[in-house]
Amino acid sequence: MFFQYAAQQPAGGSLVTMIIPFVIMIAVFYFLLIRPQKKKQSQRSTMLNALKKGDKIVTIGGLHGTIMELTNDTVVLRVNDVTKLTFDRSAISHAIKESEG
């Protein structure tokens, strides 16, 4: 009699109790990985769009310069009195604030 009752019980619990750990894992990934990365990407995009002629910047490679010309894709930097270099706009790491420089 006992064996018949045990054989009729579903093994593994309900579907809801199996899905809850996956939902929690997705929420943790979202709040710890995806959301901060999107916020950082948004801030970088805002910084790149706000650049203007005369701003002092640092490239990803560590080169310091002043923006001489801007297009949608490229930036011409003045490194010293004579040297001008052309970079992709995406190669800019950050702008130097007046208080830093």
Side-chain angles (χ1 to χ4, degrees):
M1 198 69 143
F2 175 71
F3 295 114
Q4 289 176 343
Y5 180 73
Q8 294 174 355
Q9 291 295 324
S14 70
L15 182 63
V16 174
T17 58
M18 290 175 22
I19 292 178
I20 288 175
F22 290 111
V23 171
I24 291 171
M25 187 171 62
I26 290 170
V28 167
F29 273 111
Y30 177 76
F31 285 109
L32 294 179
L33 298 174
I34 297 170
R35 189 169 175 230
Q37 185 64 31
K38 282 186 179 182
K39 184 177 178 183
K40 190 174 184 181
Q41 184 178 11
S42 174
Q43 288 173 342
R44 177 170 167 72
S45 177
T46 302
M47 183 269 305
L48 289 176
N49 290 332
L51 291 174
K52 60 188 182 301
K53 192 174 181 178
D55 286 350
K56 295 184 182 203
I57 58 103
V58 178
T59 65
I60 291 173
L63 184 74
H64 292 248
T66 304
I67 296 176
M68 298 304 293
E69 298 175 31
L70 279 169
T71 65
N72 288 336
D73 298 327
T74 61
V75 176
V76 177
L77 298 179
R78 184 182 70 206
V79 180
N80 59 25
D81 293 334
V82 181
T83 309
K84 292 182 181 178
L85 301 172
T86 303
F87 287 92
D88 285 342
R89 194 172 240 197
S90 61
I92 296 173
S93 173
H94 63 276
I96 299 173
K97 297 180 181 82
E98 294 300 322
S99 60
E100 292 179 19

